[in-house]
Amino acid sequence: MKQKSMPKTPDEFKTNHLSRIFHLLLLLFIFYLPSFASAEYKEVQQNGKTVTGLIKDQQGEPLPGVVVAVKGTTIGTYSDENGKYSLNVPNSNLTLTFSFIGYNTQEVALNGKSSLNITLQENTQQLDEIVVVGYGSLKKSEIATAVVSIKPDDFNYGGARDPMSLLEGKIAGLNVTRTSGVNPNSSAAFQLRGVTSLSGSQSPLIVIDGIPDGNLDLIQPDDIESMEILKDGSAAAIYGSRANAGVILITTKSGKKGDLHFEYSTFITKHYLARTPRVLTANEYRDLRNDPNNPKAGQMVDYGSSTDFYQALADKDNLTHTHNLAITGGNDAATYRASLFYNDFDGIGLQNDRKNYGGRMSLHARGYDNMLTGQINLAINHDYRNRLGDSEGLWQAATTMNPTLGLHDEVEQRVNPINRMNAHRLKRDGQNTMVSGKLGLEPVKDLIFSVFGSLQRDNWLESEYINVNSWESKQSHEGLGFAKKESEQEIKGAVEPTVEYSKLFNSKHSLNAVGGYSFQYTLWERTKMENKGFLNDVTQDNDMGAGSWLAAGKAKMESEKQEDKLIAFFGRVNYAYDSRYVAQISLRHEGSTKFGANHKWGNFPSYSVAWNASNEEFMKGVNYLSLLKIRLGYGVTGNSGIDRYQSIITMGTGGFYLSPDGRWVQTYGPSTNPNPNLKWEMKQEWNLGFDFGFLKNRIGGSIDLYKRTTKDLLGKYGTQQPPYIFSDIFINVGDIASKGVELTLNTIPVSGKEFMWKADLAASYTDNTLKSLSNDLYEQPYILDGDIGGMGDLGKAIRVYPGERMGNFYGKRFAGFNEAGKWLFYNKDGEKVLADQINDGDMGVIGNGVPKFYLGMSHYFKYKEFDLSIVLRGKFGFDVLNITDMQFGNRVALPDNILKRAITTHADLNDTYQYSDYYLEKGDFVKIDNITIGYNFINKSGNKKIPRFRVYFTGRDLLTMTGYSGLDPEVRDTGINTGLDKPDRYPVTRSFTLGLNMTF
């Protein structure tokens, strides 16, 4: 029988249908707008002015396909194959802009002219581009470190729901992985140049508009102006003890001079299940139950129905829609930009959605003859999440339910996941707020004093309730209601005064120096309460005191509060001579309360040099070479991404004792061992880079080679009792060595008036090796991680010894099955023996879960007003442990439902669960990740009332080419817990998006 999704509540039904009506009206507007534009075009033809002209390059050759536009409006056209253009404008006192790939954009005032000829200058090196580098910005030609800048034109657009989605497959060395698929309540895991730590932070430091450790929930993709990735140590050292994993700088859009104009963007997305676990159908289950050779047939029950619980748990009516409206404008004295957004992310699972709304505002002003400048940024986000549909174990339960059960039937062994949707509530409401300001004073030319301040507040409240008489309640809460509330709040403040001096001497000597002080404060607190014994579901978790466990003294209540401070002095000097030679040094002297009394402060220096060889006189005659730049850098960074209070004695509660007055009194005592020598992890990194460009930069890119060592790894080690009170201590022991190569290639194979093709490549190779884990006082033989979980108590899958690659799978080596279907494994002598004859000495490295090679490839095609982009991603040289197959591809899992592979691929297996290389598979894959086709409406009429818009259609996760037999080979490959494909993973989906961008 065909199963249906759970019906929506009246409010959900109303919301979804209002959304559909809104988007229907929007689409009608899109399709009827051209006819409206045509009428307006006739009007402007009669009342406007016509400007004509010829556009050439420096050699006098005509340039076809140049974009000619009226500045600050949506009015524009293209030059034809002879370089000629004709544009209708409202009047003759406007400014025209001329832009073309590979050439500098020009702005020319008409001043009453009706004819305007233009010669565009080649942007052969694009070295005058300004790049944000942290605590300032530099010309691209004056950068000697590994910094990558990416602008909106190069983002991975097409329905991106968060900032990191924009970078997928775009940056060599940056790995972005969605470990929970399209779950709206999860975020992507991202890692730069491989693993750098065992216990510390693994992700790059995020800096948003100068705010350190910024919250990505406060950023909408449409509000981003640029993203800079500081990849190597010499670029990131200016951020000190938090930059081991690199730094990502996000700059949001600010106001532009000109008339007030609006920008609106929206998209709707529908998700579909792409691949589902191939479990036994109800009829296949019955056939196996009736099989006389099935020893578990007697435990299998036929309940008379036919249900696909995995499909039933999917929300077939899911519909995601987002909206972003921005207003911008300004004049010479002040510019402003304000934006509002509303997002409704609807996941593939029932009760799995997220709604958030908020806004962002920026104001930039200058006065006193441009001597004083100021800016204010404000952002706010309200967040509402329904987390029940992505809670742990839910999809695994749907996979293993007896398919002969009815949709709402219950059995003693487990909760019916469909019923759980009605009897269980799990929601989280949050709010994120950020405000920052900067005041600058330039008392003399080229010398600027600034002070920057920011305050960020993030808080959420999570509520959970389990209904009276539900299956879960009967099993765990005596048939009565259960309620829980948990809240968390974090407040971050920063104050950073700086002084910057920039000067060009004798047209050849360029000097930029910046110095400053940083004070950062973080306050974190959490509260949690639980109660049971609710007699009815009237108040749910809104009256926590109504449960009977409170009066009985069995209710739970917890709270916690922590704080830390960071203080730093920093400076950087950058010198460039004649656009040929560049040298840069920086130093950050930083202290943190997280570390021990003997190591509160540390130094983080960097040194880098660069040679713009293509600017040398002897290279002038090499016409095919547009750019050749060689960079060499060395930098020291740190990692302080650990829990607070690891270096000092903390107090905790113990048991109760009976006081002389007859009262039971709570005891307190030490809960940790102190370590006054605790310090940050330290990474030393060398980077050699080559930037190149050929054929007027129609072919360009970079190659980076790096080698680094992370020392003084942070982690817990066992210690002696006495002298220590507790059996473990948090200390610095061990090293990780890394090396790699990164290639970025940007090409323009075809560039004409009507057709253009851009092709980009981002590829990288990385190798991370554990060098040591011990010192004279503390010893640990190996890293152990990667819980297999499930049945069989199989322990951990990952074991790495010093001298080996991070991510090694360590286990038994499969040797076949004997005649009875029992496991056979190779021992250390190469003999085939039964599983109970294998000991630790017989096992070894059987695979590795960290990809060696990463590949991202983007193609962009433009034909007249149509555009097409195709994004592919690939990962190679790694293995995936198919734990789903291990747990449910074995008939021993009966009477629960099992994978069909248990009676086909694994038909010879007649034994219990075992972890070995039998379940390891090559994970190499290539994905067609994103295909977007769009149409751009260009306003040629000269009427400002007609908006400029783009409509597009996107397909995501369209095809995965792989030999892996599971749902998806792209599993977690960041950190040290890698390569595990677990059965409780979020479903694999395919999605389609219809979007609109409009400016008016």
Side-chain angles (χ1 to χ4, degrees):
M1 113 182 195
K2 185 178 179 181
Q3 304 297 335
K4 297 182 179 179
S5 304
M6 284 181 55
K8 299 286 186 181
T9 65
D11 287 342
E12 289 173 321
F13 181 87
K14 181 179 178 182
T15 300
N16 282 341
H17 281 264
L18 285 175
S19 170
R20 287 174 171 82
I21 292 170
F22 171 81
H23 282 95
L24 178 59
L25 293 174
L26 182 63
L27 293 178
L28 288 173
F29 170 74
I30 292 171
F31 289 119
Y32 280 100
L33 184 61
S35 61
F36 167 75
S38 177
E40 296 288 352
Y41 179 77
K42 293 177 182 178
E43 179 184 343
V44 176
Q45 285 284 76
Q46 297 171 0
N47 302 323
K49 304 292 183 181
T50 300
V51 179
T52 60
L54 176 65
I55 306 173
K56 298 181 180 180
D57 62 15
Q58 291 167 277
Q59 287 73 41
E61 297 295 326
L63 284 175
V66 177
V67 178
V68 184
V70 177
K71 184 179 178 181
T73 74
T74 63
I75 304 167
T77 187
Y78 294 102
S79 60
D80 63 18
E81 62 274 10
N82 298 314
K84 296 180 180 180
Y85 71 92
S86 177
L87 179 64
N88 295 312
V89 298
N91 59 70
S92 299
N93 294 312
L94 301 173
T95 297
L96 299 186
T97 64
F98 301 83
S99 57
F100 189 60
I101 293 176
Y103 291 80
N104 295 320
T105 298
Q106 286 193 32
E107 294 184 1
V108 182
L110 282 178
N111 294 327
K113 298 177 183 177
S114 59
S115 177
L116 190 61
N117 297 329
I118 293 296
T119 299
L120 289 184
Q121 304 294 317
E122 289 181 12
N123 188 1
T124 55
Q125 297 180 353
Q126 299 178 342
L127 294 180
D128 288 333
E129 176 187 350
I130 301 299
V131 177
V132 178
V133 292
Y135 298 107
S137 57
L138 293 168
K139 289 182 179 180
K140 191 173 181 180
S141 61
E142 297 176 354
I143 293 177
T145 57
V147 178
V148 177
S149 180
I150 182 169
K151 301 293 194 296
D153 286 345
D154 296 313
F155 286 162
N156 188 12
Y157 269 120
R161 75 174 196 237
D162 59 59
M164 297 313 299
S165 297
L166 304 174
L167 300 180
E168 286 184 283
K170 293 291 185 177
I171 307 297
L174 179 64
N175 177 27
V176 181
T177 303
R178 294 205 166 275
T179 56
S180 297
V182 295
N183 178 5
N185 298 318
S186 72
S187 56
F190 48 98
Q191 183 173 273
L192 187 62
R193 292 187 167 182
V195 64
T196 60
S197 178
L198 302 182
S199 301
S201 175
Q202 297 283 353
S203 300
L205 173 68
I206 301 296
V207 180
I208 302 173
D209 289 332
I211 301 174
D213 200 18
N215 189 335
L216 289 173
D217 286 338
L218 284 164
I219 298 289
Q220 296 298 303
D222 287 326
D223 289 332
I224 297 177
E225 179 70 25
S226 70
M227 301 175 76
E228 275 77 23
I229 295 87
L230 312 186
K231 297 166 71 170
D232 70 333
S234 59
I238 196 72
Y239 286 99
S241 69
R242 294 179 297 173
N244 256 13
V247 181
I248 297 178
L249 308 175
I250 301 177
T251 303
T252 61
K253 293 177 181 177
S254 57
K256 306 294 183 184
K257 284 197 306 180
D259 295 337
L260 171 70
H261 71 274
F262 298 83
E263 299 169 358
Y264 173 70
S265 63
T266 182
F267 66 79
I268 54 175
T269 298
K270 179 84 171 177
H271 297 286
Y272 300 87
L273 289 174
R275 293 175 294 280
T276 60
R278 179 57 174 94
V279 294
L280 298 180
T281 65
N283 288 334
E284 290 169 341
Y285 189 88
R286 293 184 179 101
D287 290 343
L288 189 60
R289 178 176 180 268
N290 297 326
D291 186 348
N293 297 317
N294 178 12
K296 286 206 168 185
Q299 302 175 36
M300 299 171 67
V301 179
D302 183 355
Y303 293 97
S305 297
S306 296
T307 306
D308 186 332
F309 283 93
Y310 201 93
Q311 289 285 347
L313 198 59
D315 181 3
K316 307 301 191 305
D317 295 326
N318 73 86
L319 187 68
T320 287
H321 58 99
T322 74
H323 311 271
N324 191 295
L325 175 65
I327 306 170
T328 184
N331 52 37
D332 291 334
T335 59
Y336 58 87
R337 186 179 191 274
S339 63
L340 298 172
F341 70 88
Y342 174 77
N343 301 323
D344 186 346
F345 299 113
D346 199 356
I348 192 66
L350 296 173
Q351 296 208 37
N352 174 217
D353 54 81
R354 176 185 178 187
K355 296 177 176 64
N356 64 320
Y357 64 89
R360 171 172 289 273
M361 184 274 291
S362 67
L363 174 66
H364 292 243
R366 59 178 62 244
Y368 292 97
D369 198 22
N370 292 330
M371 184 175 68
L372 189 65
T373 59
Q375 65 182 69
I376 296 175
N377 292 292
L378 172 66
I380 189 167
N381 171 50
H382 293 271
D383 203 348
Y384 305 94
R385 309 185 187 200
N386 187 349
R387 301 188 61 206
L388 186 59
D390 58 76
S391 51
E392 185 175 354
L394 183 69
W395 292 94
Q396 177 178 330
T399 302
T400 58
M401 289 293 289
N402 185 327
T404 68
L405 281 165
L407 189 61
H408 297 285
D409 291 347
E410 293 282 9
V411 291
E412 266 194 45
Q413 293 91 338
R414 65 182 61 218
V415 61
N416 184 323
I418 305 302
N419 288 349
R420 190 183 189 212
M421 298 295 101
N422 290 319
H424 195 157
R425 291 155 187 79
L426 181 59
K427 297 188 177 183
R428 176 180 289 188
D429 299 340
Q431 185 182 73
N432 315 106
T433 308
M434 178 277 294
V435 61
S436 68
K438 185 175 184 179
L439 189 65
L441 175 66
E442 189 174 3
V444 296
K445 185 174 171 54
D446 303 322
L447 181 65
I448 301 175
F449 295 91
S450 303
V451 59
F452 172 83
S454 67
L455 185 65
Q456 183 172 296
R457 181 177 181 269
D458 305 312
N459 67 279
W460 53 258
L461 171 65
E462 186 167 281
S463 304
E464 183 177 4
Y465 185 78
I466 298 175
N467 284 6
V468 172
N469 292 322
S470 66
W471 187 94
E472 286 181 274
S473 175
K474 291 176 182 177
Q475 294 295 313
S476 304
H477 309 301
E478 302 174 358
L480 300 174
F482 166 84
K484 181 176 77 171
K485 280 187 180 293
E486 183 174 0
S487 67
E488 185 175 300
Q489 176 176 271
E490 188 170 43
I491 298 175
K492 303 173 187 176
V495 177
E496 295 181 328
T498 60
V499 57
E500 181 177 9
Y501 179 72
S502 299
K503 185 70 174 179
L504 179 64
F505 300 94
N506 298 327
S507 302
K508 288 189 176 183
H509 303 273
S510 176
L511 178 68
N512 176 272
V514 61
Y517 165 82
S518 178
F519 174 82
Q520 298 171 33
Y521 173 77
T522 302
L523 174 67
W524 175 88
E525 55 185 324
R526 179 184 66 91
T527 59
K528 180 180 179 181
M529 63 182 80
E530 293 182 6
N531 200 3
K532 297 182 182 181
F534 294 85
L535 298 177
N536 57 61
D537 302 323
V538 175
T539 60
Q540 299 187 11
D541 57 280
N542 298 311
D543 186 5
M544 292 293 294
S548 62
W549 278 45
L550 181 62
K554 298 180 181 180
K556 292 183 180 180
M557 181 175 291
E558 302 173 4
S559 67
E560 189 177 1
K561 186 176 183 179
Q562 300 178 7
E563 64 178 3
D564 68 82
K565 297 176 184 177
L566 184 148
I567 296 174
F569 302 88
F570 58 87
R572 179 181 61 229
V573 177
N574 185 281
Y575 169 75
Y577 173 71
D578 198 23
S579 298
R580 290 184 288 165
Y581 311 109
V582 182
Q584 178 180 295
I585 61 172
S586 73
L587 175 65
R588 186 176 179 104
H589 180 62
E590 185 172 272
S592 172
T593 58
K594 287 188 176 182
F595 298 110
N598 298 333
H599 292 283
K600 290 293 185 189
W601 292 86
N603 294 316
F604 304 94
S606 77
Y607 318 90
S608 57
V609 294
W611 177 33
N612 288 309
S614 52
N615 286 347
E616 295 288 355
E617 191 64 32
F618 62 82
M619 296 292 289
K620 299 297 184 182
V622 186
N623 296 325
Y624 62 85
L625 183 64
S626 309
L627 169 64
L628 177 59
K629 182 179 179 180
I630 303 172
R631 297 175 277 104
L632 178 64
Y634 170 81
V636 177
T637 54
N639 191 340
S640 58
I642 58 172
D643 291 339
R644 305 167 183 89
Y645 311 137
Q646 298 283 347
S647 67
I648 60 177
I649 295 177
T650 57
M651 303 292 287
T653 58
F656 290 84
Y657 79 96
L658 186 64
S659 68
D661 61 2
R663 293 182 300 115
W664 287 98
V665 180
Q666 173 76 65
T667 62
Y668 287 85
S671 57
T672 58
N673 289 318
N675 180 11
N677 292 315
L678 187 69
K679 57 185 273 187
W680 53 91
E681 296 175 348
M682 182 177 68
K683 185 187 72 178
Q684 301 169 324
E685 182 172 12
W686 286 94
N687 191 96
L688 176 62
F690 303 87
D691 300 328
F692 56 85
F694 299 97
L695 306 177
K696 299 181 181 180
N697 279 334
R698 294 284 290 271
I699 301 173
S702 63
I703 299 175
D704 280 274
L705 300 90
Y706 64 88
K707 185 176 183 180
R708 61 189 185 182
T709 301
T710 306
K711 299 181 177 181
D712 301 322
L713 298 176
L714 291 158
K716 276 190 177 181
Y717 277 67
T719 190
Q720 292 183 342
Q721 295 177 271
Y724 291 100
I725 300 176
F726 296 96
S727 60
D728 56 53
I729 188 172
F730 206 77
I731 59 171
N732 299 95
V733 177
D735 305 329
I736 294 176
S738 307
K739 59 184 178 181
V741 181
E742 297 165 354
L743 169 65
T744 299
L745 193 61
N746 309 114
T747 67
I748 307 175
V750 180
S751 179
K753 177 199 171 185
E754 294 188 341
F755 180 73
M756 183 186 69
W757 171 26
K758 290 175 59 180
D760 299 331
L761 175 73
S764 63
Y765 162 82
T766 184
D767 181 34
N768 298 99
T769 302
L770 179 66
K771 289 186 64 178
S772 68
L773 270 178
S774 305
N775 61 17
D776 294 339
L777 295 178
Y778 300 96
E779 183 176 355
Q780 184 172 314
Y782 48 75
I783 297 171
L784 194 61
D785 210 324
D787 284 314
I788 296 173
M791 304 297 293
D793 191 23
L794 300 179
K796 298 180 184 294
I798 296 172
R799 186 191 296 187
V800 182
Y801 287 88
E804 297 181 346
R805 282 187 65 208
M806 299 295 295
N808 274 348
F809 291 114
Y810 196 93
K812 305 181 186 72
R813 294 170 293 159
F814 177 66
F817 301 106
N818 65 14
E819 293 181 356
K822 304 300 180 183
W823 292 101
L824 294 175
F825 300 105
Y826 290 108
N827 64 17
K828 61 184 177 181
D829 298 320
E831 302 168 330
K832 297 181 179 181
V833 298
L834 293 171
D836 58 5
Q837 297 175 284
I838 293 291
N839 56 45
D840 195 72
D842 296 311
M843 295 188 287
V845 177
I846 56 177
N848 189 281
V850 180
K852 288 184 178 180
F853 303 95
Y854 296 85
L855 176 69
M857 185 179 295
S858 303
H859 293 273
Y860 176 81
F861 305 91
K862 185 177 184 302
Y863 176 69
K864 294 185 177 180
E865 277 70 49
F866 290 93
D867 60 75
L868 171 69
S869 65
I870 303 173
V871 179
L872 298 93
R873 291 189 301 111
K875 300 181 182 181
F876 310 93
F878 71 107
D879 302 293
V880 177
L881 181 62
N882 194 338
I883 299 178
T884 304
D885 213 15
M886 185 188 305
Q887 298 291 343
F888 308 121
N890 188 333
R891 282 172 291 180
V892 74
L894 293 169
D896 290 342
N897 202 356
I898 56 177
L899 298 175
K900 189 173 182 179
R901 288 168 59 88
I903 58 176
T904 56
T905 305
H906 309 306
D908 293 336
L909 173 59
N910 186 28
D911 204 350
T912 188
Y913 305 98
Q914 290 288 341
Y915 160 52
S916 74
D917 58 359
Y918 179 77
Y919 294 108
L920 275 179
E921 301 182 44
K922 292 296 180 184
D924 298 8
F925 70 85
V926 173
K927 284 189 174 185
I928 301 179
D929 207 38
N930 183 321
I931 295 180
T932 298
I933 184 169
Y935 176 81
N936 298 273
F937 176 80
I938 304 297
N939 178 10
K940 300 180 181 180
S941 69
N943 192 325
K944 294 183 178 181
K945 296 180 181 179
I946 301 176
R948 178 179 63 198
F949 73 89
R950 176 175 183 267
V951 61
Y952 63 89
F953 182 75
T954 297
R956 279 185 174 270
D957 299 310
L958 296 177
L959 177 65
T960 300
M961 293 167 279
T962 182
Y964 180 61
S965 66
L967 295 184
D968 191 347
E970 189 166 23
V971 295
R972 184 181 181 91
D973 52 8
T974 59
I976 59 175
N977 187 2
T978 59
L980 306 179
D981 187 6
K982 293 190 174 184
D984 62 348
R985 70 182 298 171
Y986 196 82
V988 178
T989 64
R990 182 173 295 116
S991 65
F992 298 95
T993 297
L994 180 63
L996 169 72
N997 299 326
M998 183 183 298
T999 301
F1000 52 97

